Amino acid sequence: MEIERETLLLMLKRMWMIRNFELKVMEVHAAGEFTGAAHPYIGEEAVAVGACAALDDTDYIAGNHRSHGHPIAKGGRVDKAMAELYGRVDGYCKGKGGSMHLADYSIGILGESGILGSSVPVAVGAALAAHIKGEKFVSLAFFGDGASNQGALHESMNLASVWKLPMIFLCENNQYAVTTSYADTVAVEHVSDRASAYNMPGILVDGQDAIAMYEATQAAVERARKGEGPTLIEGLTYRYEEHSLGLGRVRRGEYREQSEIDEWRKRDPLLILETALISQGLATREECDAINAETVEEVEMATEFARNSPFPEPEDLFDDMWAQPIPLP
Amino acid sequence: MAQTIFVEAINQAIYEEMARDENVFIMGEDIRRSVYGATANLLDDFGGKRVLDTPLSENGFFGAAIGASLVGMRPIVETLTSFMWVGMDQLISQAAKMRYMFGGQATLPVVYRATMFYGAGSAAHHSDRSYPMFMNMPGIKIVVPSNPSDMKGLLKAAVRDDDPTIVFEDGTLFGMRGEIPDNSELPDGELVVPFGQANIVREGTDVTIVGIGGSVNHAATAADQLAAEGISVEVIDPRTLVPFDKQTVLDSVEKTGRLVVADPAHKVCSAASEIASIVAEEGFWSLQAPIQKIASEQVHIPYTPSLEKHVYPDVEKITAGVRRTLDA
Ligand SMILES: Cc1ncc(C[n+]2csc(CCOP(=O)(O)OP(=O)(O)O)c2C)c(N)n1
Ligand SMILES: [Mg+2]
């Protein structure tokens, strides 16, 4: 499949954006600029970026707690994302959602969920709406290898399959759920093998390769838009950092070898995409570096934006509870 | 006016709303063949895409309804209260919380019709009256109709409301007859009962009874019997618990000085508990006697009729409650 150069460069930019966003988040979190859990997406950028590059703004996604990568991959704004992490009024959710609950309804990001597996049925509902109305949009749910054991996912896959919904189930298999290896919790060798129980294609993809992720998702999107039903895609990837910021202080036992992390870092998704672009003559080293530098700059500005945005006032506490306010009890 | 039974009122509301707005659709288990009677004729007239028989996957299809509502649909989900536990995560983690958590970006006009089939020998797994649990969780509107006309009007309002709503349908009322105005008799050409407006079922001056769902009718019967003794009882049906029309209750207690709350839910942290606490907090100086909570006993629903009949509020218990407020 030919992918337009423009698409590839946009993918590279979004991957650098996620990487630099997360590095910044780790820096300011460590400096105590905001508190709370935050789950770095570093190492997994190719999965969300490759997948979202195959979607339009009118398509929908829903995600999980590891939530910064998904909205950025779909074209969300880093300033509003950063301001949300800072708990400020200019954040995506006016400070009411925080790191685990970014959402941007203007570009089809239905929201990330701190309850694992829980956003998958919701994403299926968007696909159901397309089906009922005969519209062409598709819906994609991100979930982890750990959440692939949730009943909600299995109910969702069955529903989407029996109703032939335009749905993509995208498992980000980063191999661990906090400290537990997926090999110890998933009864089949690959999460994608689970598709066979629901009579849909199950595609195992190298999740470090953004182009492979794009191509697999593109094929699933095409299938969905043609009314042929859902697809399960498993992007095999790796989380470089700790499960969550702040967790290092409380975690007691080791669960993976440094050598394993080092091995995976050799297959860094940015390295892989840049090597492909440069070797195919689609970009130069300098162009790639310039894209990286541009995103560093944007993240810097986003952080300043977040720092300068005010906190919500106490009188904002009850806003957004209801479509129209009702009397307090 | 036409005499209509409760379940028929549900059907009328669904039918009218589906005919009015093509974004309204319904899903649930065995609804195409209308096993509970509320979804008759829908499949023939609206087709399979808008009348969906679901797999037994409450978590899955409760959530799918939410997702569809987020992107412009107005889903109605049919279920029983006792099956809601299985789909609880979607109701609480998503439906109740999404709008607030996403800073107002999400709008969820989704309706769950949850039938409470209690009092008919179904035992503990099919007899739940769970609305108080949802009152404790901000974000869901809660409707408990007590007669066919309100059933129709409140369900239609629920479909049009932009917030997630659970309509708790009292299964003991499914066969209840009542007058429903014909649309041609109504000024707006249809019956829509707004949320947050209590109904004063009958006026009285000595004691106020607030009833929930099926208990409203027991309260009205008790009031009739007490009237023969010269005791004047005011019966109030809040109709919606979220939002709750506390002013009507407080005004009534100001007049009567006595409050009995009759609630088919379990007594602890019931709707009755909340109503009693509101009146204790805000209407205390009007009270001339302790508030009486007549709610279901704090025990599971036993199968055998010889035990089950002792669990729920009934005319006798409500009457005894009224007398206690007068003897005090
Ligand atoms: C329903 C639920 N159970 C447990 C948790 C606690 N928890 C948060 S993240 C996590 C691990 C998730 O693993 P996975 O799905 O593989 O995603 P990853 O963090 O690896 O991206 C757990 C157990 C939760 N948030 N929700
Ligand atoms: Mg994982």
Side-chain angles (χ1 to χ4, degrees), chain B residues 67-116:
Chain B
S69 79
L70 290 172
V71 304
M73 307 298 288
R74 291 185 173 271
I76 304 171
V77 175
E78 174 175 295
T79 189
L80 305 194
T81 39
S82 298
F83 309 153
M84 289 169 90
W85 308 126
V86 180
M88 207 62 173
D89 176 49
Q90 291 301 314
L91 300 175
I92 302 301
S93 303
Q94 306 300 337
K97 296 180 181 174
M98 282 182 112
R99 168 180 284 278
Y100 188 79
M101 202 167 69
F102 298 140
Q105 294 184 76
T107 296
L108 301 83
V110 55
V111 178
Y112 296 89
R113 289 183 38 237
T115 309
M116 311 185 278

Side-chain angles (χ1 to χ4, degrees), chain A residues 39 44 64-66 114-116 143-148 150 172 174 176-178 239 243:
Chain A
H39 303 81
E44 308 182 32
N64 61 7
H65 61 294
R66 196 169 300 288
I115 302 300
L116 302 187
F143 57 94
D145 47 290
S148 81
Q150 286 286 4
E172 305 172 300
N174 62 7
Y176 294 93
V178 192
R239 147 167 77 69
H243 168 69

Side-chain angles (χ1 to χ4, degrees), chain B residues 233-276:
Chain B
V233 175
E234 179 143 298
V235 177
I236 296 176
D237 174 4
R239 300 197 279 202
T240 62
L241 294 168
V242 179
F244 180 68
D245 178 2
K246 69 178 174 188
Q247 204 51 53
T248 297
V249 175
L250 289 169
D251 289 348
S252 176
V253 173
E254 195 178 334
K255 178 172 64 174
T256 62
R258 295 177 172 84
L259 176 65
V260 174
V261 194
D263 179 359
H266 290 295
K267 189 169 183 178
V268 174
C269 297
S270 55
S273 303
E274 180 59 21
I275 293 166

